[in-house]
Amino acid sequence: MSSTLDVDNDSPAHPGEHHDHGPSDKQYFTIFWVLVAITVLEVSTYWWDDILNADTEPVAVPLLIVLMVVKFFLVALYFMHLKFDRPILRRIFWAGMLTAIFVYVVALSAMNFWQDSGTVQFNDPPPAVSPPTTAEVGGATAGG
Amino acid sequence: MAEVADLANDEIADVEFPDDTHATSTGISNEKLAMWTYLASDCLLFGGLISTYLIYKNRPGTIPGLAGSPVKISSLFNIPFTSMTSFILLMSSLTMVLAVNSTIRGDIQRTRLWLVATATLGGLFLGGQVYEFTEFVREGMGFTTNVSASAFFTLTGFHGVHVLVGVIILLSTVAISFKKKVVAEQVETVGLYWHFVDIVWVIIFTIIYLIP
């Protein structure tokens, strides 16, 4: 059993890795509490309509997207050390991320996701939702 | 062959590299580079799954030729419960970075402690996901009930598999630390994977669960 752990500074294969860069434990806790606060704000939007007795969707949805992006960057830059690591790693990750965003924005646009073009498959308004009856539930379970 | 390998290692050991560099053309270890490349490619996988759900989420049972229940799976979401599991996953990211910092300090005991804590929180998240799936099926919303359910289960199921693999890697790292020395970069590379799983959940939780 090993009671000590190599910090790797003397390793011929990985010298100097895990050096002095990156946040301290205290800074990590600070980032964590910021993430928790953002999450609480995000979750609270679920009850905004009831609390304010109004349609808050036009405000809540853009806010949720902004908060999601902030959380994403906090985790990627600090927890994943992208802010402190070599630029090539940032380029690799952002290349993958941006490619995915580009490809799927194009795909969603091709499916007319952003507007109602009247296509039966994708753009007709969703059907009126009715609560499942016992027969439906039983049938769905049996079928699925 | 073993002698040749030892000789090669001895030769490598004689080579001195400046701080913060590796014996590679990029100056970054191959393992770390490979992990980042994998994570970049995984963005495409989850991008595809999220897009598929977005396309189908409001159109259950309306696609010609694909019969199914008209009930949207989103009508069954339990936001308070999912918020709790999201918080658990967020907390596991904190324990993961604490494990990495412990490794950097050379504190093997705390490294193991934080790695086990991270794996435990990951296990709790998985338990929550299994419970959620079970509730959906109990409500009559199975994998093939309609296209929105299929897209949802595929997306969250793939994420769950990623978490499961992460838990296995974390526990394997703890087990390896009892057998041989664990270098800090190994723990950091495991951490990269774990944080990516957390990042993906940040997106899923917002786009799938919170945005109506």
Side-chain angles (χ1 to χ4, degrees), chain B residues 52-73:
Chain B
T52 305
Y53 176 77
L54 289 178
I55 289 167
Y56 289 121
K57 70 172 183 176
N58 284 330
R59 292 160 185 86
T62 60
I63 304 204
L66 287 176
S69 165
V71 180
K72 290 192 281 185
I73 192 161

Side-chain angles (χ1 to χ4, degrees), chain A residues 32, chain B residues 84-96 113-129 163 167 170-171 194:
Chain A
F32 170 72
Chain B
M84 197 177 67
T85 57
S86 301
F87 177 74
I88 287 170
L89 202 59
L90 197 62
M91 211 154 57
S92 75
S93 264
L94 175 68
T95 54
M96 188 69 237
L113 174 74
W114 291 125
L115 286 175
V116 169
T118 309
T120 305
L121 290 168
L124 277 175
F125 176 85
L126 280 175
Q129 199 165 40
V163 175
V167 169
L170 286 165
L171 295 177
W194 192 258

Side-chain angles (χ1 to χ4, degrees), chain B residues 161-182:
Chain B
V161 169
H162 275 71
V163 175
L164 179 64
V165 170
V167 169
I168 291 168
I169 295 173
L170 286 165
L171 295 177
S172 302
T173 308
V174 174
I176 288 168
S177 76
F178 285 101
K179 297 260 181 191
K180 63 176 192 175
K181 294 169 184 173
V182 175

Side-chain angles (χ1 to χ4, degrees), chain A:
Chain A
M1 184 191 301
S2 166
S3 59
T4 58
L5 189 143
D6 271 3
V7 181
D8 216 12
N9 279 328
D10 299 319
S11 163
H14 310 295
E17 192 62 31
H18 288 289
H19 7 271
D20 43 5
H21 68 205
S24 62
D25 284 0
K26 193 179 171 186
Q27 288 169 318
Y28 278 135
F29 269 98
T30 306
I31 296 163
F32 170 72
W33 287 117
V34 171
L35 289 168
V36 169
I38 293 172
T39 305
V40 169
L41 181 59
E42 280 182 328
V43 174
S44 75
T45 63
Y46 180 68
W47 290 280
W48 280 9
D49 279 5
D50 296 335
I51 294 169
L52 302 172
N53 205 17
D55 180 19
T56 58
E57 198 176 311
V59 177
V61 171
L63 179 69
L64 281 170
I65 291 170
V66 169
L67 293 176
M68 178 189 75
V69 172
V70 170
K71 279 173 77 177
F72 179 94
F73 275 99
L74 279 175
V75 175
L77 293 179
Y78 292 96
F79 283 7
M80 296 175 88
H81 286 188
L82 265 189
K83 185 177 167 65
F84 311 100
D85 245 320
R86 289 170 178 266
I88 189 173
L89 298 176
R90 280 198 290 275
R91 290 188 200 120
I92 288 171
F93 186 62
W94 296 137
M97 180 57 69
L98 293 175
T99 304
I101 291 171
F102 174 75
V103 166
Y104 294 113
V105 165
V106 169
L108 288 172
S109 302
M111 301 284 190
N112 298 314
F113 175 76
W114 316 106
Q115 60 188 2
D116 187 349
S117 69
T119 310
V120 173
Q121 280 85 350
F122 299 108
N123 295 299
D124 275 359
V129 176
S130 54
T133 62
T134 310
E136 272 179 343
V137 171
T141 309

Side-chain angles (χ1 to χ4, degrees), chain B residues 109-153:
Chain B
Q109 299 300 340
R110 279 185 191 272
T111 300
R112 288 181 189 136
L113 174 74
W114 291 125
L115 286 175
V116 169
T118 309
T120 305
L121 290 168
L124 277 175
F125 176 85
L126 280 175
Q129 199 165 40
V130 169
Y131 171 78
E132 184 188 36
F133 282 11
T134 308
E135 283 296 299
F136 288 165
V137 172
R138 200 171 289 158
E139 295 277 344
M141 192 62 72
F143 185 76
T144 57
T145 303
N146 60 36
V147 284
S148 78
S150 299
F152 172 83
F153 282 116

